[in-house]
Each structure stands twice: as structure tokens, then as C-alpha cells.
């Protein structure tokens, strides 16, 4: 599935099953919640925190998909074409960071 297809599929789901989009501010709060759930898994799986019993069944892939879902909802409701935005972002990074990381002694 392309990013554009994902945006369209989410839009269709929201307008049928989901009834309507939550407000942009509500979706921003939901995005923050979802990123927090990813952070919780990361800190337990890759960091020093131990898992609580209630966290052991959490799935990183599912939580990352939740983040992408809400991000694409926000893009849809604010008129952002994420394919074009990501392509533009690659261009920016290729210019700005052309040698930055190669020259970073910390990454050697």
C-alpha cells in the first residue's frame, strides 16, 4: 500500500465506520497518546525499564501502526499530501545533511 492509498483508505474508513474525523486538536492529543505507547514499549524492550504484567502483551508493530493512522488522519484533515511532503523532506535532508553524518566523528 502506498502512502496515498493509506490516506485514501483511512479517509474512507473515517467517513463510513468512524462517522467523522475527531477535531484536529483531539487527534493531536491522540497522536501524543499513541507515541507515548510506543515509548513505553521501547523503554521496556530496549531500555532499562522492566515490563509490567499489563505491558507484556503490547505489540510494537501495532502501536507504530496506530501512530501512522492518527498521523495520516491529521494529514487528511489538514489537506497535507504525505507522499509529496515526504518527497520534499527527502530533498531537504539530502541537501542539508549531504555530508553532515559522514563527517560526524560520533558516528565513526
Amino acid at each position: 500500500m502506498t502512502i496515498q492509498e493509506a490516506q485514501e483508505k483511512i479517509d474512507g474508513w473515517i467517513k463510513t465506520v468512524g462517522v467523522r474525523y475527531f477535531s484536529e486538536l483531539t487527534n493531536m492529543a491522540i497522536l501524543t497518546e499513541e507515541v507515548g505507547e510506543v515509548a513505553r514499549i521501547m523503554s521496556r524492550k530496549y531500555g532499562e525499564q522492566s515490563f509490567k504484567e499489563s505491558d507484556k502483551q503490547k505489540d510494537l508493530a501495532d502501536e507504530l501502526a496506530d501512530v501512522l493512522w492518527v498521523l495520516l488522519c491529521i494529514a487528511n484533515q489538514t489537506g497535507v499530501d504525505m507522499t509529496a511532503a515526504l518527497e520534499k523532506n527527502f530533498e531537504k535532508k539530502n541537501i542539508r545533511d549531504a555530508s553532515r553524518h559522514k563527517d560526524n566523528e560520533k558516528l565513526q
Side-chain angles (χ1 to χ4, degrees):
M1 172 183 334
T2 67
I3 296 170
Q4 183 60 41
E5 289 168 340
Q7 280 193 253
E8 291 169 2
K9 202 168 183 177
I10 287 170
D11 190 60
W13 188 94
I14 293 292
K15 291 176 178 174
T16 56
V17 179
V19 180
R20 66 169 179 81
Y21 284 94
F22 294 126
S23 74
E24 295 85 351
L25 288 176
T26 298
N27 273 336
M28 186 63 231
I30 293 169
L31 179 62
T32 303
E33 280 182 31
E34 297 298 347
V35 169
E37 291 177 21
V38 169
R40 185 178 197 94
I41 293 170
M42 295 296 292
S43 68
R44 282 155 175 74
K45 186 169 184 174
Y46 301 102
E48 285 74 36
Q49 284 194 318
S50 60
F51 277 93
K52 293 179 182 177
E53 199 57 42
S54 60
D55 293 332
K56 290 183 178 177
Q57 301 304 314
K58 299 287 184 176
D59 177 40
L60 180 59
D62 184 54
E63 297 304 336
L64 287 170
D66 285 344
V67 169
L68 182 58
W69 178 282
V70 179
L71 182 68
L72 294 179
C73 283
I74 293 170
N76 283 348
Q77 65 192 138
T78 58
V80 174
D81 175 342
M82 285 303 296
T83 300
L86 188 57
E87 287 170 349
K88 187 175 178 181
N89 196 268
F90 266 106
E91 290 174 24
K92 175 184 77 176
K93 284 175 175 40
N94 283 331
I95 293 167
R96 183 190 67 198
D97 300 330
S99 62
R100 180 173 151 228
H101 300 299
K102 291 176 187 174
D103 296 339
N104 182 346
E105 292 177 11
K106 295 177 183 178
L107 297 177
Q108 303 305 319

